[in-house]
């Protein structure tokens, strides 16, 4: 049980790493996944996220600690529990972020991570529906396609945004996202195109790649300050040790990777001692710097149009959607949670867009609930650059116990002000002339709420995650950094972290595409030091 590389986690990053490392046929690669196969019926169908998120078959079903900024609420925190990880259950939106995100990373001392340096990496992975150009690649593994269903109400919302100063643009992902456009998605002809489908399945039969499922990594095997393997528990409770000749690579995500480090004695010494874990390396930043995008979900009733609420509300509507998908792979069953997006500045002091809308032709009280019995639209607005910071910390030395996940949403004055500004901006758009033929009627938060204090309380009541945790093993050179710019764990040998946890600051938008890029660069770093 010895391999050149051990990759922990077969989510987005792990699938990319397994593909790239095993391309060197002289290197033996082990990919470990604590979850199971990605063969569940609803994974392939894009709208199936309704049945995979919150389902213990496909989701770890974490929950946050009670959040003071959300009125003491604990919210469900989905993480993928199958091959492909979150790319098998997520919104499928392909969003790189903005030039300023990566230039800021580089300005923090992370050489090699500026926009001009990461753009070719994005393009390398991509298979863009419209072919290669200055901003896109073709022939890569990650398929990017346009939507396969249209909604009258979304077209009107986009026109209304233009009337409020947010121009209609062709697409995002070119470095400056200011404007409104339909999201592009990781789909292939109406089916979800996960990292497992894109990167892992095509190479699964390579003789130098082994994939082991239902394999929970309990901790690292260390020889002093060098990682030399991992301890693994299978579903039946059996335990084994696997050794790495070259390196161990943690790709378990912003929740899993810091948890494994802490269980292995790498983290804040005081926390580890409190949890009964012997301290091997006091690295205070492990699990800290947790960031996420909080969305504030306004809901407006509308008339004179049909939204998904009405189509789902009748058996005839459901049958029509199913038939359209079966025959043409088009229609509402191809929908991600949000189809239309918009980026803008919350105020003139912002250098680049710092708020984003995810606009949905539907409404519901909270994820997992039934759609409302009336036609409605949900323009959810989020702060792209939150200043609130949370953490991931083990609660015990038990590897099977979920860690404490605290986001500290809306814990800063700046974040609360952006939330209020976002709600007011949403009202301006909904009052624009282009939407008036649909007679929009604010249902939540409610037109009676007018003061900043009232809207701040509404944000706390309506706010929920978009499932974009990052930052808990941040890249950098300061005392709270966990990895260096080549993703090596500070103070350790033979150990890297390659996933969304290494982001020093969250990107402006959905985080799956940046995770693919991070994994591509991580593979480059690993192969650069592997002798031929």
């Amino acid at each position: 049980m010895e391999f050149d590389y051990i990759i922990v986690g077969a989510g987005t990053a792990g699938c990319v790493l397994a593909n790239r490392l095993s391309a060197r046929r002289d290197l033996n690669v082990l990919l470990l996944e604590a979850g199971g196969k990605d063969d569940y019926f609803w994974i392939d169908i894009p709208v199936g996220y309704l049945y995979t998120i919150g389902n213990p078959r496909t989701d770890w079903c974490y929950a946050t600690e009670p959040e003071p900024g959300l009125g003491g609420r604990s919210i469900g925190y989905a993480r993928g529990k199958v091959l492909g990880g979150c790319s098998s259950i997520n919104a499928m939106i392909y969003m790189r972020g903005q030039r300023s995100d990566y230039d800021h990373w580089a300005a923090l001392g992370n050489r090699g991570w500026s926009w001009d340096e990461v753009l070719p990496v994005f393009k390398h992975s991509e298979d863009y529906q419209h072919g290669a150009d200055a901003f896109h690649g073709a022939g890569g593994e990650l398929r990017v396609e346009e939507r396969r269903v249209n909604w009258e109400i979304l077209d009107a919302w986009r026109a209304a945004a233009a009337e409020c100063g947010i121009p209609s643009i062709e697409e995002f992902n070119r470095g400056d996202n200011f404007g409104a456009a339909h999201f592009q998605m990781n789909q292939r002809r109406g089916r979800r195109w996960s990292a497992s489908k894109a990167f892992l399945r095509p190479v699964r039969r390579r003789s130098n790649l082994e994939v082991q499922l239902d394999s929970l990594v309990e901790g690292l095997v260390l020889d002093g300050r060098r990682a030399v393997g991992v301890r693994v528990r299978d579903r039946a409770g059996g335990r084994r040790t696997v050794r790495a000749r070259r390196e161990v690579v943690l790709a378990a995500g912003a929740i899993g990777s810091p948890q494994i480090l802490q269980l292995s004695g790498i983290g804040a010494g005081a926390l580890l001692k409190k949890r009964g874990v012997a301290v091997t390396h006091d690295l205070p930043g492990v699990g800290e710097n947790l960031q996420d995008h909080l969305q504030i979900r306004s809901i407006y009733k509308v008339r004179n149009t049909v939204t998904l609420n009405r189509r789902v509300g009748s058996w005839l509507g459901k049958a029509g959607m199913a038939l359209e998908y079966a025959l043409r792979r088009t229609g509402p069953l191809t929908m991600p949670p949000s189809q239309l997006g918009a980026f803008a500045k919350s105020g003139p002091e912002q250098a680049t867009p710092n708020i984003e809308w995810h606009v949905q032709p539907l409404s519901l009280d909270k994820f997992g609930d039934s759609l409302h019995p009336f036609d409605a639209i949900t323009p959810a607005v989020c702060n792209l650059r939150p200043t609130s910071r949370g953490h991931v910390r083990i609660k015990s030395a038990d590897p099977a116990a979920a860690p404490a996940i605290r986001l500290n949403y809306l814990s800063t004055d700046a974040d609360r002000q952006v939330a209020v500004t976002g709600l007011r901006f949403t009202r301006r758009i909904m009052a624009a002339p282009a939407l008036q033929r649909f007679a929009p009627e604010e249902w939540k938060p409610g037109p009676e709420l007018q003061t900043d204090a009232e809207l701040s309380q509404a944000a706390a009541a309506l706010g929920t995650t978009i499932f974009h945790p990052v930052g808990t093993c941040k890249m950098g050179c300061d005392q709270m950094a966990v990895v260096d710019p080549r993703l090596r764990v500070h103070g350790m040998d033979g150990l890297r972290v390659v996933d969304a946890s290494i982001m020093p600051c969250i990107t402006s938008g959905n985080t799956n595409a940046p995770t693919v890029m991070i994994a591509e660069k991580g593979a480059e770093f690993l192969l650069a030091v592997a002798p031929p």
Side-chain angles (χ1 to χ4, degrees), residues 94 126-130 136 142-146 173 184-187 193:
Y94 183 77
E126 189 181 12
D127 185 21
Y128 187 52
Q129 178 179 350
H130 304 300
H136 292 287
L142 192 63
R143 183 68 174 172
V144 178
E145 294 188 351
E146 303 285 358
N173 295 317
Q184 294 166 331
M185 299 166 290
N186 294 131
Q187 292 186 11
W193 198 245

Side-chain angles (χ1 to χ4, degrees), residues 251-417:
I255 308 302
S257 288
Q259 180 184 20
I260 292 169
L261 289 173
Q262 291 170 0
L263 290 168
S264 305
I266 303 171
L271 169 69
L272 303 184
K273 291 175 183 177
K274 185 177 180 180
R275 301 304 183 214
V277 176
V279 180
T280 299
H281 180 28
D282 191 344
L283 194 59
V286 174
E288 304 303 302
N289 192 48
L290 177 61
Q291 301 161 54
D292 187 18
H293 292 135
L294 181 76
Q295 62 177 343
I296 315 300
R297 293 173 56 84
S298 297
I299 296 174
Y300 287 76
K301 295 181 178 180
V302 293
R303 288 181 278 178
N304 307 319
T305 191
V306 175
T307 66
L308 188 63
N309 289 14
R310 193 191 308 188
R311 296 197 66 177
V312 168
S314 72
W315 284 109
L316 184 61
K318 290 177 182 176
M321 291 188 294
L323 184 62
E324 181 180 1
Y325 185 77
L327 295 178
R328 299 165 52 191
R329 292 290 185 266
T330 60
L333 267 65
T334 67
M335 282 176 55
S338 302
Q339 286 186 281
L340 182 72
F343 287 74
K345 298 177 183 179
S346 63
E349 74 283 358
Q350 299 294 330
T352 59
N354 69 313
I355 54 176
E356 178 188 8
W357 286 266
H358 290 77
V359 192
Q360 305 167 335
L362 55 87
S363 67
L364 68 171
D365 286 334
K366 65 179 186 298
F367 189 86
D369 287 357
S370 299
L371 300 185
H372 293 133
F374 47 79
D375 283 311
I377 182 173
T378 301
V381 64
C382 76
N383 180 357
L384 293 170
R385 290 193 288 274
T387 55
S388 298
R389 295 292 184 267
H391 59 251
V392 173
R393 297 173 183 168
I394 56 172
K395 293 182 178 180
S396 74
D398 179 4
I405 303 169
R406 182 179 293 282
L407 279 301
N408 288 324
Y409 291 121
L410 300 177
S411 60
T412 66
D413 290 339
D415 286 359
R416 289 189 291 271
Q417 185 55 55

Side-chain angles (χ1 to χ4, degrees), residues 2-246:
E2 188 172 82
F3 298 82
D4 290 306
Y5 296 102
I6 298 173
I7 304 166
V8 180
T12 296
C15 289
V16 175
L17 288 163
N19 180 301
R20 301 306 189 222
L21 295 180
S22 66
R24 275 274 304 269
R25 303 311 287 268
D26 59 320
L27 299 174
N28 293 313
V29 179
L30 172 64
L31 178 63
L32 294 169
E33 169 55 41
K37 297 179 180 178
D38 56 337
D39 57 356
Y40 184 42
F41 171 80
W42 284 111
I43 291 176
D44 274 355
I45 300 174
V47 81
Y49 68 88
L50 292 168
Y51 306 100
T52 55
I53 293 178
N55 182 343
R57 174 174 176 170
T58 50
D59 179 4
W60 287 105
C61 298
Y62 292 130
T64 70
E65 298 295 296
E67 291 285 343
L70 302 186
R73 288 185 292 133
S74 172
I75 57 178
Y77 215 65
R79 298 284 88 195
K81 193 182 178 183
V82 293
L83 288 173
C86 291
S87 73
S88 292
I89 67 172
N90 70 359
M92 297 162 285
I93 292 172
Y94 183 77
M95 181 67 65
R96 296 169 177 168
Q98 302 184 100
R99 169 184 286 273
S100 58
D101 299 330
Y102 301 100
D103 289 348
H104 179 56
W105 291 8
L108 293 174
N110 297 299
R111 295 181 60 184
W113 292 88
S114 70
W115 170 259
D116 288 337
E117 290 165 307
V118 302
L119 179 58
V121 184
F122 279 113
K123 293 169 63 177
H124 173 70
S125 304
E126 189 181 12
D127 185 21
Y128 187 52
Q129 178 179 350
H130 304 300
D133 60 25
F135 294 99
H136 292 287
E141 293 85 353
L142 192 63
R143 183 68 174 172
V144 178
E145 294 188 351
E146 303 285 358
R147 69 197 182 282
R148 299 173 74 87
V149 61
N150 292 303
W151 297 91
E152 178 185 38
I153 190 69
L154 296 187
D155 293 337
W157 197 95
R158 189 181 185 197
E163 292 172 337
C164 295
I166 304 174
S168 294
I169 60 174
E170 182 180 346
E171 62 149 335
F172 304 118
N173 295 317
R174 296 184 178 184
D176 179 0
N177 287 344
F178 177 49
H182 286 89
F183 291 124
Q184 294 166 331
M185 299 166 290
N186 294 131
Q187 292 186 11
R188 183 181 289 278
R189 294 187 292 274
R191 292 183 179 273
R192 175 187 292 274
W193 198 245
S194 67
S196 174
K197 288 183 182 176
F199 296 98
L200 185 59
R201 290 188 188 181
V203 304
R204 189 78 184 267
R205 294 184 180 274
R206 285 177 179 169
S207 60
N208 62 327
L209 173 62
E210 184 168 336
V211 181
Q212 297 179 6
L213 304 179
D214 300 308
S215 298
L216 176 69
V217 170
E218 296 188 315
L220 302 169
V221 177
L222 302 175
D223 182 2
R225 290 285 185 91
R226 181 174 184 83
V228 296
V230 295
R231 301 188 308 277
V232 184
R233 182 198 307 177
D234 62 31
R235 179 184 290 182
R239 288 178 166 84
R240 63 189 185 278
T241 297
V242 188
R243 300 186 71 84
R245 286 185 287 266
R246 297 185 183 278

